Amino acid sequence: LAGTVNGTIINNDTRQPISGVSIVLFDLTALQGYYAETDTTGAYTIEVPAGVYDINIAPPEASGFIGRNELNVEIGQNITKNFALSSGITISGSVTRRDTNLPLANVLVGVLHPDTQQDYGSLTDVSGRYSFSVPAGRYEFHASSMTDKNLTTYVEANFTVTSNVNKDVVLGIGVPIRG
């Protein structure tokens, strides 16, 4: 059995469609992802095999909209999933490597809300830049390379966000600790 997931993504304040939003349905059992992007009317369609999926909604970078996740969505037939995205506070910056001072691509940069366990973030681009939006609050900030496991992970507890913030991060070579 297969199913089609379709819907529309709009601005929560203006009720206008948002184009360029990435939608990823990820099957944790099969370790397979399915991707679509909203068109100019905010519409998207994704065909997937029947299963249980995590849905990730990622607005265009630097758009100011807060991404969303919906976990454990069972899909066995055609369903409609509409989303309204809210504006947030933008966290942006760059990630470089300590020993070369060069920008690092494919670093997962994000924040985790300690109470709700909601995670927000993005990957750095080829120039080491990242940008994502979050609601105001206190978070744990983290940055870790997805491609070079010899680099340390940067973690900062009690990272408070009340207005747009630029946060540059430097990752160095680390020594693995085994216990």
Side-chain angles (χ1 to χ4, degrees), residues 69-150:
N69 293 311
E70 193 167 319
L71 306 178
N72 300 313
V73 178
E74 189 168 343
I75 300 170
Q77 58 186 5
N78 298 343
I79 64 169
T80 299
K81 297 295 287 180
N82 297 318
F83 297 94
L85 302 183
S86 299
S87 296
I89 298 169
T90 300
I91 301 172
S92 60
S94 65
V95 181
T96 55
R97 186 176 169 130
R98 183 179 314 280
D99 57 347
T100 63
N101 213 27
L102 293 174
L104 286 169
N106 296 313
V107 173
L108 179 60
V109 180
V111 294
L112 175 68
H113 192 282
D115 299 327
T116 64
Q117 296 299 298
Q118 179 66 48
D119 199 12
Y120 305 92
S122 71
L123 286 173
T124 57
D125 62 18
V126 294
S127 63
R129 303 283 309 158
Y130 70 91
S131 178
F132 57 94
S133 296
V134 301
R138 183 181 55 82
Y139 297 92
E140 177 182 277
F141 182 96
H142 54 86
S144 58
S145 175
M146 301 305 290
T147 56
D148 188 344
K149 296 303 176 190
N150 292 319

